Amino acid sequence: MAAALMPHAAPVLALPPLALYVHIPWCVRKCPYCDFNSHAAGPELPEEAYVDALLADLDLDLHLAENRPLVSIFFGGGTPSLFSAQALDRLLQGVQRRLKFTDDIEITLEANPGTFEQVKFRDYRALGINRLSIGVQSFQDAKLKALGRIHDAGDAQRAAEMARQAGFDNFNLDLMHGLPEQTLDDALHDLECAIALAPTHLSWYQLTMEPNTQFWNQPPTLPDDEALWAIQQAGQALLAGAGFAQYETSAYAQPGRRARHNLNYWTFGDFLGIGAGAHAKLSSRDGRIQRLWKTRTPRDYLNPDKPFRAGERELSREELPFEFLMNALRLTAGVSAPSFSERTGLALDTLAEARAAAEARGLLEADPQRLQATPRGQLFLNDLLQYFLP
């Protein structure tokens, strides 16, 4: 059911917070389940050329920042921890010459246990990088082998320990469940190992088969729906008991440690995106909201004869309800109802018909002050979002 639109949209006068996403597209090797824009690294990474390109890319988009400071920076990939501290230092200094940082800026680096070196991580921390996201996926060697990972369980444990020794008091562990031939005991063992390492944040999400991956073409044997449900229920209870509050579909945090960069996405904040295949979402003071994306392959991105920007489009008024809610409704507590108008420039009444229908189905809370999925709506989020399609 499409949301009925009011005749006029209120202008967006106050711009949302601004973040920066930096994509570093190289990995040691491509994992069979991965559909991200990642590419196997050669013997040498073109660090200098890539940093030059990132800063030139940022220069072209700088006017879209509208003089806002950065509230967060996220180095994603790929495997950003393949880059040297010297390269990241030059990049961060270049970014800071162009954009102000808030005093409490969150700067996150994704890292894989197989690329950990303690001296490198101390250097990263000295640069001002203050949060790590470590791609553990499992603490069982057989499961890691099935996933095509280059590290083993011991590497995963040492990575978390080295992160803390390097001065990181805020780090996330990435874990998957629903792995090939995984049992409930297997899944809970992984969570127990992760909790024992005392991270401040856990990303715990189900393995899915994505098109254009090796697993899509040669699918492994995965747990059935009944087993997946048992894993989900028991795992959430274990995490809650250990003090990890679920605040998003697959995100769990200790008090005060929610991922601020990701929260900016989910509350429809703005973000610049630089690097091969990076995406961005930017608002302007006249109420326009646009998405843009960058050239996907590293070869083309580094080619001076090709543009950094691969495409852009302005979101229509008809698209905005869905675009806003597909992010906001991932949050277990939802968002305040007025934030819809603040972020989209549309009157809240725009959602009235679709809200009433979703509430009648028990998918959306009947709370005039909030936009929040019910527990049933969280389980059937795609069904809930159908009500807000243009």
Side-chain angles (χ1 to χ4, degrees):
M1 179 187 300
L5 291 175
M6 298 295 287
H8 300 288
V12 176
L13 300 177
L15 294 176
L18 181 69
L20 173 67
Y21 175 77
V22 182
H23 193 72
I24 297 178
W26 291 282
C27 285
V28 174
R29 72 180 181 204
K30 185 84 170 177
C31 295
Y33 58 85
C34 178
D35 69 334
F36 295 154
N37 182 30
S38 60
H39 306 263
E44 292 187 16
L45 290 175
E47 287 188 338
E48 291 297 310
Y50 197 69
V51 170
D52 288 341
L54 288 169
L55 293 174
D57 186 1
L58 180 59
D59 283 335
L60 293 175
D61 288 350
L62 208 53
H63 65 286
L64 300 171
E66 303 240 21
N67 295 317
R68 284 173 287 176
L70 292 177
V71 298
S72 66
I73 300 173
F74 194 99
F75 292 95
T79 307
S81 54
L82 290 175
F83 264 40
S84 68
Q86 291 77 12
L88 295 182
D89 184 28
R90 187 162 75 88
L91 175 58
L92 280 171
Q93 288 192 39
V95 173
Q96 195 162 18
R97 283 194 296 270
R98 292 160 170 83
L99 290 164
K100 293 180 181 178
F101 291 4
T102 58
D103 291 340
D104 61 347
I105 188 171
E106 176 191 271
I107 305 178
T108 302
L109 179 85
E110 284 188 338
N112 286 333
T115 63
F116 262 64
E117 298 173 30
Q118 188 165 340
V119 63
K120 182 191 285 189
F121 277 63
R122 285 179 177 155
D123 289 344
Y124 288 157
R125 185 67 189 90
L127 302 182
I129 296 170
N130 52 24
R131 185 175 182 271
L132 290 178
S133 183
I134 305 170
V136 170
Q137 314 312 352
S138 176
F139 287 93
Q140 298 173 70
D141 288 341
K143 298 294 183 284
L144 290 168
K145 184 176 181 180
L147 291 172
R149 305 294 289 178
I150 63 170
H151 67 274
D152 61 25
D155 292 330
Q157 183 168 348
R158 285 187 292 273
E161 293 167 350
M162 285 192 290
R164 189 174 291 102
Q165 291 169 10
F168 287 95
D169 61 358
N170 189 15
F171 66 92
N172 169 67
L173 296 181
D174 249 14
L175 281 176
M176 286 183 177
H177 60 88
L179 305 182
E181 301 182 0
Q182 187 180 49
T183 65
L184 173 59
D185 286 344
D186 289 337
L188 294 181
H189 171 78
D190 278 347
L191 282 176
E192 288 164 352
C193 288
I195 291 167
L197 293 170
T200 50
H201 191 283
L202 278 166
S203 298
W204 188 58
Y205 51 94
Q206 184 180 327
L207 172 65
T208 56
M209 301 295 100
E210 301 294 343
N212 303 315
T213 65
Q214 182 181 330
F215 273 6
W216 179 265
N217 296 318
Q218 299 174 306
T221 301
L222 301 180
D224 60 26
D225 288 346
E226 184 176 345
L228 289 172
W229 178 247
I231 288 171
Q232 183 79 18
Q233 293 292 96
Q236 289 178 333
L238 178 60
L239 287 165
F244 289 89
Q246 183 181 13
Y247 67 97
E248 187 268 343
T249 302
S250 58
Y252 304 77
Q254 291 287 340
R257 294 299 197 172
R258 298 187 301 174
R260 285 159 48 200
H261 186 86
N262 288 342
L263 276 173
N264 190 54
Y265 290 150
W266 296 323
T267 54
F268 216 49
D270 279 0
F271 54 97
L272 293 162
I274 58 174
H279 285 240
K281 175 253 170 183
L282 284 309
S283 308
S284 60
R285 294 188 187 278
D286 61 6
R288 291 180 301 110
I289 298 175
Q290 64 176 325
R291 293 195 181 275
L292 50 93
W293 54 96
K294 304 303 173 65
T295 298
R296 183 175 175 82
T297 67
R299 171 186 281 186
D300 288 342
Y301 187 80
L302 289 169
N303 185 340
D305 296 326
K306 296 193 174 183
F308 294 122
R309 191 178 298 183
E312 60 185 295
R313 73 182 187 89
E314 183 177 334
L315 296 177
S316 69
R317 292 175 63 245
E318 291 77 13
E319 292 176 292
L320 285 174
F322 179 81
E323 288 278 337
F324 177 88
L325 290 166
M326 75 173 180
N327 290 285
L329 293 179
R330 290 179 62 93
L331 294 168
T332 56
V335 295
S336 69
S339 69
F340 173 76
S341 296
E342 293 166 4
R343 291 288 188 262
T344 67
L346 298 175
L348 186 59
D349 285 351
T350 299
L351 302 177
E353 183 181 348
R355 284 180 78 178
E359 289 169 6
R361 285 285 307 277
L363 299 174
L364 194 69
E365 296 286 0
D367 182 346
Q369 300 303 316
R370 295 200 69 75
L371 294 165
Q372 180 183 5
T374 62
R376 175 181 171 81
Q378 290 169 19
L379 288 175
F380 300 100
L381 189 56
N382 286 339
D383 293 340
L384 170 55
L385 292 172
Q386 296 298 310
Y387 288 93
F388 302 97
L389 283 170

